[in-house]
Amino acid sequence: MTDARPRPKMRTVGGTLEAFEQDLISNLYYQRGTTLESASGPDGYHTLAVTVRDRLVGRYARTAAAHYQANPRFVYYLSAEYLLGRQLRQNLLYTGTEQFVRPIAEDLGVSLEELEAYDVEPGLGNGGLGRLAACLLDSMATLDIPAVGYGIRYEFGIFKQAFRDGAQVERPDDWTFYGNPWEFPAPDDRQVVGFYGSTAPALDDPSGLRRQWTPAETVRGEPSHMLVPGYGTPTVNIIRLWQARASRESFDLSRFGAGQYKEAVEDIVQAENISKVLYPDDSTEQGRELRLKQQYFLVACSLRDIIRRYRLRNTGWDAFPAKVVIQLNDTHPVMAITELMRLLVDEYRLDWDLAWSITRRTFNYTCHTLLPEALETWSVELLERLLPRHMEIIYSINHFFLQEVAATYPGDLDKMRRLSIIQEYPEKRVRMAHLAVVGSTAVNGVAELHTRLLAETTLRDFAELWPQKFHNVTNGVTPRRFVRLANPRLSELITERLGDEGWLTDLERLDRLAGAADDPAFLERWREVKRLNKVDLTHQVERSTGVVVDPDALCDVMIKRFHEYKRQHLKLLHVITLFNRLREMPEMDMVPRTVLFGGKAAPGYHAMKLLIRLVNAVAETVNTDPVVSRHLKVVLLPDYNVSRAQVIIPAADLSEQISLAGKEASGTGNMKLALNGAVTIGTLDGANIEIRDRVGAENFFLFGLDAQQAVDLRRHYEPRAYYERDPELRAAVDAIASGVFAKGDRSLFAPVVDAMLGRDEYLALADYRAYVECQDAVATAWRDRDRWTRMSVLNAARTGFFSSDRTVREYCDKIWRVDPVRVEPD
Ligand code: GL7
């Protein structure tokens, strides 16, 4: 080691620099079995990761001890998805050790960036719902809330997206291939879960409500956990992830001995498939069965673990709802309601009414959608086969529930049919959202509009029956990851202006930046930060697509899953309109723009995969046109994920939130972008409304139908009329139809055109004119640099409300009623 530069001497929560260095060398030696001289890149990364991780372990142990001592009410968050993002930088920040790593790495001739390249993001989710789960857990730890997250340790997370000839190709995400240093296996806490089989009456139960289930198949659930540190506090909570393992008897030695190698391991493969992939394709019967198996596997393992934890400090069942609050993140874990009933009634021999009272007081349900097709249902036939006892329990729950309904609305059969947990036609299916509402104390939507529309439409009969059950808790995002880690330059500027880093845990303090929006020197520095972030993004774009973009162009960003309701095709119509204008008037003075898309389409969602192809085709045409490309560039960045979001968001000028009003439950990308100073162009949908209320109408580009207008128009909608009336729209649609983006092939993108002119399910054509005009207003605003920067500053200054800390506080006040437990400081 050389003494290249002065070392920080102070002691921090991470210990001293000397101790850190010592630990690194010792971990390299004893954990990786190598030395500084011969260490590889992965050796360096793993060593650093475990050295940082070890600094969290002491805090975790103290957290566990404090929780044991206090025996508090715990939040158990059940979610099929977690999108945690990379861990290394986060944990360096949370342990205060980043300052050590830089000088040490420099001495060794490696950079933190090089090491970070080995830090793999666990892609255990799809989109906003999974990232929300991660943000809420971050905030729970930061607020010292005793909480455990439960999920599945998918062997393959969300697929890796690449493009071949512009088409999406999916590659498996083998995220643990090199090992995952952030995870602790906990084999002692394994659980056994049953499937299939039969049920029989319990002999000693005159009510007939207690029965005995004999599963035909069992699978082991092996847990491991990831640490979830709080920021600025010693609290470290955990996420416990379950992996399926075959029970030991599954290996058929005699078959193996007889040379039947494939058959010998058949049962093992079958069992371990349960946690193989996130969202198995459910277009086949086997796929659907596997998904249901996953859901039950998650809740069965988690509930047993929750009960084990409860019993460490409590006896009897009376206190259960006082000590345990289970939050169901969407419908995927809703089978937990039936499983807890089964455990209490069949295994712990409680009487039905008491069990039901405990169950109902334990669960709460968050709904994340308005789309009726997204509300999960399971066929009764499948449930009867896979989980026969649970199906019986659902029938009983429904029976007693419908008695309640009949007492409230005597003779109203229609009401009963609408409320029933079982849908009768066209086939018998279990409505998971209904089961969730019936079995929960509180039900919440994720933005004000969403909650209102849930109560007025999707769950209307329930909201009438139990108005007090319904709550709104508007989503939020963690400022630690999405401002501090993603945007260090902006964070530094904010800290300098506000005097300290207190805003990181009290985000509404950002409102003090509003005064700076009139300070020209501050505006200049704000612009400089944005520009440097755009330069970084430019490099990333060039590296991954080869497209060279201008960091001074307006950076227009649409990053989200590809879905029709989100209307990437409306954005594309705008892009094609700009393309047409430039082709027609090459001399026109257009504001230079880079339009950046990011997002994946579900592998079976053909319409959206075709749209991805079209986006890439338009990008190719635009970017290679010598005239157009001087003003306009279009990029679809491959494999959008949390890590990429952390690079794109700080560089965005314009945030596209253009879903048809009444379709996006909340959105959270909209919040991350506004907090980083992007100005939104958006509809009155989801949390956009609340963002606009806060940043002010003059700092938000609003366009389009509102939710009610959309519903009204849908009744007599004719997209062709819009197409015929508007020459620019016609030219844009015709350009797609003409094959200019497909080397003259008119058939390739014909389905996109047919969908637009046929039904145009999400009214893109109706909103087109308003959208394009609004984009023209964006361009005008952009030309006035100070005006734009002022808007940008005010967006960040006034969106502190959207911290997930505030979201968690609201859950605590309205729903969970949990108190923080303080952990002894370092
Ligand atoms: C979603 C909603 O679509 C999104 O609007 C919301 O912000 C998010 C978190 O509440 O939940 N629901 C859903 O199924 N996914 C979402 O992102 C995948």
Side-chain angles (χ1 to χ4, degrees):
M1 294 253 160
T2 59
D3 265 328
R5 59 140 90 172
R7 308 288 189 79
K9 273 278 172 272
M10 77 270 226
R11 230 193 110 77
T12 73
V13 286
T16 61
L17 173 77
E18 288 70 26
F20 192 82
E21 198 164 4
Q22 273 303 311
D23 290 348
L24 272 175
I25 292 166
S26 142
N27 282 334
L28 185 68
Y29 194 68
Y30 290 109
Q31 304 252 343
R32 300 292 291 185
T34 187
T35 58
L36 279 179
E37 290 68 34
S38 42
S40 65
D43 286 332
Y45 162 70
H46 273 266
T47 302
L48 176 58
V50 298
T51 309
V52 175
R53 184 192 76 176
D54 288 351
R55 271 139 184 87
L56 294 173
V57 173
R59 289 187 186 173
Y60 171 54
R62 270 179 285 130
T63 305
H67 290 171
Y68 185 84
Q69 178 70 28
N71 187 20
R73 180 167 163 87
F74 274 91
V75 178
Y76 295 109
Y77 196 82
L78 264 57
S79 179
E81 299 191 27
Y82 291 94
L83 279 178
L84 298 169
R86 287 174 161 184
Q87 298 293 292
L88 179 61
R89 288 270 179 168
Q90 171 195 289
N91 291 339
L92 285 170
L93 173 67
Y94 285 37
T95 54
T97 48
E98 187 171 359
Q99 49 167 344
F100 302 154
V101 174
R102 292 223 173 258
I104 294 173
E106 216 165 88
D107 283 354
L108 298 173
V110 287
S111 69
L112 181 51
E113 288 67 29
E114 278 167 65
L115 294 176
E116 201 189 16
Y118 298 99
D119 196 31
V120 174
E121 146 170 2
L124 311 182
N126 252 302
L129 180 148
R131 183 55 232 179
L132 181 78
C135 283
L136 294 185
L137 280 160
D138 176 87
S139 287
M140 284 186 237
T142 298
L143 294 170
D144 299 316
I145 301 300
V148 177
Y150 284 102
I152 298 178
R153 186 183 184 281
Y154 303 104
E155 224 175 301
F156 295 92
I158 181 84
F159 65 87
K160 297 230 167 273
Q161 179 194 53
F163 301 125
R164 195 180 304 136
D165 293 331
Q168 170 175 293
V169 285
E170 297 104 22
R171 302 228 177 83
D173 166 39
D174 196 357
W175 67 288
T176 57
F177 191 79
Y178 290 107
N180 172 18
W182 303 109
E183 175 180 29
F184 295 88
D188 291 350
D189 291 337
R190 73 171 71 93
Q191 299 292 352
V192 176
V193 179
F195 295 99
Y196 308 104
S198 57
T199 70
L203 294 178
D204 56 345
D205 176 42
S207 76
L209 287 163
R210 174 170 309 130
R211 293 173 67 85
Q212 214 50 57
W213 174 30
T214 314
E217 187 183 305
T218 58
V219 172
R220 274 187 303 157
E222 290 207 342
S224 58
H225 55 257
M226 309 242 325
L227 302 179
V228 183
Y231 180 76
T233 167
T235 294
V236 174
N237 287 331
I238 58 167
I239 297 185
R240 188 148 250 206
L241 300 172
W242 300 98
Q243 177 159 22
R245 286 254 179 260
S247 39
R248 210 171 279 154
E249 304 76 55
S250 303
F251 180 61
D252 194 331
L253 187 59
S254 58
R255 289 193 130 161
F256 197 86
Q260 298 173 315
Y261 304 126
K262 220 166 113 194
E263 295 78 0
V265 295
E266 219 162 53
D267 288 353
I268 299 184
V269 172
Q270 167 103 349
E272 299 187 351
N273 271 346
I274 291 178
S275 55
K276 191 65 74 183
V277 294
L278 168 78
Y279 290 130
D281 183 353
D282 62 353
S283 56
T284 65
E285 192 51 43
Q286 293 99 305
R288 283 189 287 276
E289 183 167 325
L290 186 54
R291 266 202 204 194
L292 184 59
K293 268 188 159 175
Q294 285 189 331
Q295 296 188 353
Y296 178 64
F297 172 73
L298 164 62
V299 304
C301 292
S302 306
L303 272 180
R304 284 162 177 72
D305 199 58
I306 290 167
I307 291 172
R308 175 190 66 78
R309 290 171 51 97
Y310 170 76
R311 293 177 134 197
L312 291 175
R313 291 303 310 275
N314 307 282
T315 48
W317 292 100
D318 292 341
F320 194 74
K323 296 291 182 188
V324 172
V325 46
I326 301 180
Q327 190 67 36
L328 300 169
N329 193 29
D330 219 73
T331 49
H332 319 122
V334 166
M335 204 53 80
I337 292 172
T338 0
E339 174 68 357
L340 182 58
M341 282 301 286
R342 189 188 72 77
L343 290 169
L344 293 179
V345 173
D346 295 356
E347 300 203 357
Y348 295 106
R349 314 183 69 77
L350 267 59
D351 99 359
W352 178 277
D353 290 341
L354 177 59
W356 184 234
S357 151
I358 291 171
T359 299
R360 268 185 142 171
R361 284 182 287 141
T362 300
F363 286 100
N364 303 291
Y365 161 58
T366 306
C367 177
H368 293 269
T369 189
L370 281 162
L371 306 182
E373 68 269 24
L375 289 180
E376 230 177 355
T377 61
W378 288 111
S379 93
V380 166
E381 180 273 318
L382 170 59
L383 270 168
E384 277 171 342
R385 195 156 42 80
L386 185 66
L387 299 169
R389 178 62 186 132
H390 298 77
M391 193 58 236
E392 293 169 356
I393 291 172
I394 292 171
Y395 277 130
S396 299
I397 293 173
N398 200 38
H399 170 78
F400 294 122
F401 165 58
L402 291 179
Q403 279 184 350
E404 243 180 282
V405 175
T408 316
Y409 305 103
D412 193 343
L413 289 181
D414 219 39
K415 191 86 154 181
M416 304 246 288
R417 203 171 310 124
R418 291 204 305 270
L419 282 165
S420 175
I421 295 170
I422 315 276
Q423 162 201 304
E424 297 287 337
Y425 303 102
E427 91 178 297
K428 273 186 105 166
R429 299 184 72 85
V430 175
R431 297 163 165 155
M432 299 307 280
H434 290 211
L435 177 57
V437 178
V438 173
S440 292
T441 297
V443 175
N444 77 284
V446 289
E448 277 170 19
L449 174 72
H450 176 232
T451 303
R452 180 165 70 75
L453 292 176
L454 270 184
E456 287 174 7
T457 62
T458 320
L459 296 174
R460 177 181 174 161
D461 293 302
F462 284 103
E464 270 171 31
L465 181 65
W466 295 314
Q468 72 293 345
K469 255 195 201 196
F470 286 76
H471 302 267
N472 177 60
V473 185
T474 297
N475 284 165
V477 302
T478 170
R480 273 75 67 183
R481 182 171 292 270
F482 289 104
V483 186
R484 176 63 184 78
L485 288 168
N487 201 343
R489 296 186 182 103
L490 191 73
S491 303
E492 213 169 285
L493 180 59
I494 294 173
T495 299
E496 189 188 309
R497 184 81 194 191
L498 300 185
D500 58 44
E501 287 203 324
W503 58 276
L504 272 175
T505 44
D506 181 6
L507 202 61
E508 305 229 23
R509 286 194 205 173
L510 289 182
D511 64 10
R512 296 186 206 153
L513 289 176
D518 293 313
D519 171 353
F522 185 78
L523 293 186
E524 198 49 53
R525 294 193 57 198
W526 189 271
R527 261 196 300 272
E528 184 56 18
V529 164
K530 188 60 93 179
R531 189 172 187 286
L532 291 171
N533 293 341
K534 286 163 78 168
V535 170
D536 287 351
L537 174 61
T538 309
H539 293 144
Q540 159 109 269
V541 166
E542 201 177 331
R543 268 201 308 276
S544 55
T545 66
V547 180
V548 179
V549 299
D550 171 10
D552 291 315
L554 191 162
C555 181
D556 177 352
V557 164
M558 184 157 190
I559 40 175
K560 46 189 82 246
R561 291 169 307 128
F562 269 81
H563 201 294
E564 279 155 297
Y565 81 80
K566 296 180 186 277
R567 302 201 294 190
Q568 278 92 355
H569 55 303
L570 176 57
K571 177 73 233 166
L572 205 55
L573 287 173
H574 172 241
V575 168
I576 297 170
T577 299
L578 295 180
F579 172 78
N580 286 343
R581 285 181 186 172
L582 281 165
R583 290 275 285 236
E584 223 160 87
M585 295 175 284
E587 297 312 315
M588 81 183 270
D589 175 27
M590 203 189 93
V591 162
R593 272 196 204 232
T594 302
V595 176
L596 198 128
F597 291 89
K600 297 174 183 176
Y605 196 169
H606 299 293
M608 282 304 99
K609 288 176 84 169
L610 187 59
L611 193 71
I612 283 185
R613 233 179 136 175
L614 179 58
V615 171
N616 277 322
V618 170
E620 170 83 24
T621 310
V622 166
N623 300 341
T624 54
D625 184 303
V627 175
V628 176
S629 64
R630 271 191 275 136
H631 305 276
L632 182 64
K633 286 277 166 69
V634 181
V635 173
L636 170 46
L637 212 58
D639 204 35
Y640 178 65
N641 59 12
V642 178
S643 310
R644 302 245 145 74
Q646 288 179 221
V647 179
I648 300 169
I649 290 169
D653 295 308
L654 186 66
S655 158
E656 299 274 351
Q657 307 301 335
I658 63 175
S659 51
L660 174 62
K663 300 293 177 189
E664 185 72 88
S666 162
T668 45
N670 47 3
M671 302 167 184
K672 295 163 198 164
L673 283 155
L675 276 167
N676 281 277
V679 183
T680 304
I681 181 164
T683 49
L684 287 176
D685 202 12
N688 295 353
I689 299 177
E690 290 159 75
I691 291 176
R692 180 167 173 268
D693 285 348
R694 287 183 167 79
V695 303
E698 69 286 8
N699 300 307
F700 187 106
F701 292 95
L702 175 72
F703 75 96
L705 302 161
D706 69 21
Q708 189 55 51
Q709 289 167 335
V711 170
D712 295 342
L713 177 60
R714 187 66 262 176
R715 294 207 184 97
H716 54 85
Y717 181 54
E718 288 185 31
R720 249 183 202 282
Y722 293 86
Y723 164 82
E724 264 142 31
R725 210 183 305 143
D726 188 327
E728 279 202 315
L729 171 58
R730 203 164 56 229
V733 176
D734 288 351
I736 302 173
S738 74
V740 277
F741 305 118
K743 304 193 170 66
D745 179 352
R746 301 169 67 94
S747 63
L748 180 59
F749 297 121
V752 176
V753 176
D754 293 346
M756 283 182 189
L757 296 180
R759 200 178 144 74
D760 188 18
E761 181 67 42
Y762 297 100
L763 310 179
L765 272 51
D767 270 344
Y768 167 85
R769 179 47 44 196
Y771 179 51
V772 168
E773 276 171 13
C774 197
Q775 287 285 7
D776 292 341
V778 166
T780 306
W782 176 257
R783 286 180 198 278
D784 181 344
R785 293 195 341 143
D786 278 347
R787 176 182 167 205
W788 187 276
T789 313
R790 220 183 103 80
M791 293 203 308
S792 169
V793 172
L794 290 176
N795 264 272
R798 295 178 177 162
T799 42
F801 173 81
F802 299 100
S803 166
S804 46
D805 298 346
R806 187 267 316 149
T807 307
V808 163
R809 280 200 196 90
E810 279 192 41
Y811 275 104
C812 288
D813 294 346
K814 296 182 187 171
I815 297 175
W816 298 338
R817 307 196 178 284
V818 290
D819 296 315
V821 173
R822 306 277 167 225
V823 176
E824 202 186 304
D826 295 287

